[in-house]
Amino acid sequence: MLFLLGLAEGVVGSFQSSREVIGSVPLAALAFCALILISCGLAGWAMKTMAAALLVAIGWFVASFALAMPNSGGSVIIANTSAGQWYLYGGAVCALLGVGTAFVTARRR
């Protein structure tokens, strides 16, 4: 279920990350980055293991990076814009930070 949570976050985030609320600031991409950080951290904290956070992160990575790859027609879901870059690279860093947070909290217990 945690893998499916990460997969769902990746799919929704990939399609909605290009929304801009204020000028050219990619707020949706930043919000989805924060969401994956919180999801990984809370999954690891709730299950008291780093594997739970890792499952959420792997699901997010699979969905996001699969949708960033071009298909045979040449189109991509996540474009090479500032919002797309913030979503992919920021989300990857946040997922790893969430797994690290889960590692620290699981070791303390």
Side-chain angles (χ1 to χ4, degrees):
M1 291 308 292
L2 292 172
F3 176 77
L4 293 177
L5 172 68
L7 201 67
E9 286 181 13
V11 169
V12 172
S14 295
F15 283 102
Q16 301 297 323
S17 65
S18 63
R19 303 221 183 249
E20 297 172 346
V21 177
I22 303 171
S24 63
V25 178
L27 288 180
L30 296 175
F32 283 112
C33 290
L35 180 66
I36 191 65
L37 171 69
I38 292 167
S39 296
C40 289
L42 284 178
W45 174 77
M47 300 293 288
K48 299 179 181 79
T49 178
M50 189 180 79
L54 197 57
L55 281 172
V56 177
I58 290 171
W60 183 86
F61 273 104
V62 166
S64 295
F65 283 90
L67 291 172
M69 300 285 182
N71 63 12
S72 61
S75 64
V76 293
I77 303 299
I78 304 171
N80 189 18
T81 61
S82 63
Q85 290 176 353
W86 273 103
Y87 175 71
L88 281 179
Y89 302 131
V93 168
C94 286
L96 293 177
L97 284 174
V99 170
T101 301
F103 179 72
V104 169
T105 57
R107 286 190 61 124
R108 287 186 182 175
R109 292 182 177 194

